[in-house]
Amino acid sequence: MSARDGAGAGAPEPEPGGVEVRVAEDAADREACFRVRKDVFVGEQGVPEDIEYDAYDAGALHVLAVRADGVPLGTGRLLHGAAAAAKTGGDPAVGSLGRLAVTRAARGLGVGAALVRAIEDAARAHGLSAVDLHAQTHALGFYERLGYVAYGPEFPDAGIPHRSMRKALGRPAV
C-alpha cells in the first residue's frame, strides 16, 4: 500500500525536539505502530482496516517515533528479502519502505524525515543498496526532498493515487 505502502547497535539517538526514533522491538512498540497507522490511514484517509494490516507486518522491521513522554508520533516499516521482492521488481538488494504515517499533531516537525532516515539506516544494516516505496502523489515532494526519484505511471492503491519511487543508498553519513 503506499509509503503508507535498522537495527544499529547501542541506544537510539534522540531526534531534535525530544523525539526518539527506534526499531520497534517488543509487542508494546508494535501495537503503538499499529495504532498510529489506524489513526492515519483508517481514520483520516478512509483506508479499509482489512487491507491496512497484511501478512507482511509479521516479518517486517517496524520503526516508531515517540515523544519524550512516550506518546507515539509516527511509524514506518521496511520489507527486505523475499518479502520485498513483489514490491521492488524482484531485486533482493532493494528494500521496500511502507506504511509511513505521522500523527496529525506531529506533522511538520521532522518526524517523517527522521522515520525515513531510520528505515534507510536499517536497510543499509541489512545490506540493501536501494529502497523503493509507493508514495501517495500528494507526498511526492516530501520524498523527493529526501532523495527519492519517481518512476512509472500513477496507480491507485486503496483508492488513493500513488507513484513508485526509489533511492539508491550510499554509505551512512559520519
Side-chain angles (χ1 to χ4, degrees), residues 25-42:
E25 304 254 348
D26 60 27
D29 279 354
R30 289 173 68 90
E31 181 54 37
C33 292
F34 295 148
R35 273 195 321 273
V36 170
R37 284 172 45 186
K38 185 173 184 175
D39 289 348
V40 173
F41 298 128
V42 177

Side-chain angles (χ1 to χ4, degrees), residues 43-78:
E44 291 180 31
Q45 297 183 356
V47 172
E49 193 166 358
D50 63 327
I51 66 170
E52 173 51 33
Y53 306 101
D54 60 25
Y56 295 112
D57 280 326
L61 181 141
H62 298 268
V63 294
L64 176 66
V66 295
R67 244 178 17 202
D69 63 1
V71 172
L73 301 176
T75 188
R77 75 178 186 189
L78 173 69

Side-chain angles (χ1 to χ4, degrees), residues 93-111:
V94 179
S96 177
L97 184 161
R99 302 305 204 266
L100 188 75
V102 175
T103 62
R104 186 183 312 261
R107 291 180 196 147
L109 303 177
V111 173

Side-chain angles (χ1 to χ4, degrees), residues 103-159:
T103 62
R104 186 183 312 261
R107 291 180 196 147
L109 303 177
V111 173
L115 287 162
V116 171
R117 282 192 303 273
I119 290 168
E120 291 171 353
D121 288 346
R124 284 185 197 93
H126 281 84
L128 302 177
S129 62
V131 173
D132 264 17
L133 58 86
H134 295 160
Q136 294 180 4
T137 55
H138 71 83
L140 287 172
F142 166 77
Y143 291 109
E144 287 168 344
R145 287 188 295 279
L146 296 174
Y148 287 81
V149 177
Y151 66 91
E154 185 176 292
F155 61 92
D157 189 353

